[in-house]
Amino acid sequence: MTAFESMEASLREMEVSAKEQIEACNSPEALEEVRVEVLGRKGKLAQLSKNMGTLTHEQRGSVGKLLNQVKGVLETAFDAQNQRFATAVLQARLEREWVDLTLPSRGPRRGSLHPVTLIQTEIEDVFRSLGFTVLDGPEVETEYHNFDALNIPPHHPARDMQDTFWMTNGTLLRTHTSPVQVRGMKQLGPPLRMIAPGRVFRNEEVDASHEHTFYQLEGMMIDRDVSVAHLIYFMKTLLSEVFKRDVTVRLRPGYFPFVEPGFELDIQCLICGGSGCPVCKQSGWVELLPCGLVHPNVLRLSGINPEEWNGFAFGLGLTRLAMMRYGIDDIRHLLGGDLRFLRQF
Ligand code: PHE
């Protein structure tokens, strides 16, 4: 065998064995190792081409051609095998991440009404069915509507009962919904049945049962010969509608300058059943419904003749009521904005 023939033979042989090696590879890493071994700078092909020095000029030409041919064939084989690996990886990924596009979507998550809103609309419905009008009033109020017109003159100690947020221009954030009584009397005149739910503000230290911002629902009825018996009837109707079960209540005398006589209607704490918890401050009772007969001065200040008309008023603690109703043991949940809390309603 001439040197030329033996070179040609070993090239062919190398081609065949390299192809087998390529096909036997089962990972891109293994393939890369074979590629370096065959086509690398110090690889088999490079070794063979070194032997060309022993050949004649013409022989060198044809062996060179053959070398290039084999190199081309092997490169193609490597590329093809790499392509197979890439396809397999893609295929596996497609199977893993398969999504059924024909499935209907889940749709946007529905919001829910805030517990205070739920209870507010429920109470509005009760009172509407009893002939009451639902009124709205401003949250930024004048001193006149929040205090003076409610028989709370300047420097009266009752002003200190409610820690007020004052605005720099002399207006204030209403400390109760009672100013809407004043607006209702002026707007509608007697006879009058109105309620006014809304947000009120007090400069209070926040804890489990106190917030600087909470909700009340004011109520007022003015007619001829309204008595405490009417007041009690409406309050009982209200509470039995809201709780849909018997609740234990008690009536205590209470002082508010805009009612005479004034009462505090308490309900037995529904969180602890009366045994004492943070919401009822361990007393077993929750102040829920301050009320009373409208003071003659209040009627007079709003242009209603107390000789002819009288009435009752109440200021229901909506926030507390919602806590009792839904068993919420910390008032801070209500304005906390935590969706995990709100989604329960
Ligand atoms: N406005 C009073 C308060 O928030 C409550 C109240 C309303 C009392 C109506 C009597 C009558 O403290």
Side-chain angles (χ1 to χ4, degrees), residues 162 176 178 181 202 216 218 256 258-259 290-291 313-315:
Q162 303 180 350
H176 50 180
S178 299
Q181 287 184 22
R202 288 186 199 176
Q216 289 187 335
E218 195 77 10
F256 302 95
F258 32 97
V259 285
C291 53
F314 61 89

Side-chain angles (χ1 to χ4, degrees), residues 78-295:
F78 278 114
D79 286 350
Q81 184 70 334
N82 258 325
Q83 194 55 49
R84 269 194 289 280
F85 287 137
T87 309
V89 166
L90 180 65
Q91 200 56 41
R93 187 165 163 212
L94 284 174
E95 264 160 47
R96 204 170 53 239
E97 298 177 5
W98 184 79
V99 172
D100 186 351
L101 295 175
T102 67
L103 279 178
S105 79
R106 281 203 196 88
R109 196 195 267 272
R110 284 265 203 106
S112 56
L113 292 175
H114 192 276
V116 171
T117 308
L118 288 172
I119 210 134
Q120 178 186 323
T121 41
E122 214 171 283
I123 296 172
E124 285 176 9
D125 287 345
V126 174
F127 277 101
R128 263 204 212 90
S129 74
L130 295 168
F132 283 69
T133 304
V134 183
L135 289 185
D136 213 357
E139 291 175 342
V140 178
E141 260 297 7
T142 61
E143 193 177 354
Y144 175 79
H145 285 94
N146 197 82
F147 292 123
D148 304 67
L150 291 165
N151 198 33
I152 315 174
H155 313 302
H156 190 282
R159 292 207 180 190
D160 303 332
M161 283 163 59
Q162 303 180 350
D163 302 306
T164 309
F165 286 116
W166 290 93
M167 312 294 265
T168 47
N169 66 359
T171 58
L172 48 84
L173 296 184
R174 64 178 179 191
T175 57
H176 50 180
T177 42
S178 299
V180 194
Q181 287 184 22
V182 178
R183 294 177 179 277
M185 286 187 281
K186 289 200 180 139
Q187 197 182 317
L188 302 168
L192 169 72
R193 291 179 186 203
M194 55 151 278
I195 56 166
R199 207 154 57 135
V200 302
F201 311 87
R202 288 186 199 176
N203 195 352
E204 299 232 36
E205 202 74 56
V206 174
D207 62 27
S209 52
H210 294 91
E211 256 289 7
H212 47 69
T213 302
F214 53 100
Y215 288 78
Q216 289 187 335
L217 186 137
E218 195 77 10
M220 184 180 227
M221 173 170 152
I222 294 175
D223 214 312
R224 297 174 206 274
D225 305 319
V226 176
S227 71
V228 173
H230 291 109
L231 170 63
I232 291 172
Y233 165 77
F234 278 100
M235 298 305 94
K236 276 194 167 167
T237 306
L238 164 66
L239 292 173
S240 63
E241 289 283 342
V242 168
F243 290 108
K244 294 178 177 70
R245 61 165 152 149
D246 281 342
V247 289
T248 313
V249 300
R250 71 177 184 190
L251 208 59
R252 290 179 290 129
Y255 173 68
F256 302 95
F258 32 97
V259 285
E260 180 59 38
F263 307 104
E264 286 282 6
L265 194 151
D266 302 341
I267 69 165
Q268 198 165 62
C269 183
L270 294 172
I271 304 277
C272 62
S275 60
C277 70
V279 171
C280 60
K281 291 178 230 135
Q282 311 304 332
S283 73
W285 295 91
V286 177
E287 263 181 43
L288 198 62
L289 241 174
C291 53
L293 295 186
V294 183
H295 196 290

Side-chain angles (χ1 to χ4, degrees), residues 291-307:
C291 53
L293 295 186
V294 183
H295 196 290
N297 285 351
V298 172
L299 295 171
R300 215 174 281 122
L301 281 164
S302 287
I304 295 173
N305 180 3
E307 307 294 326

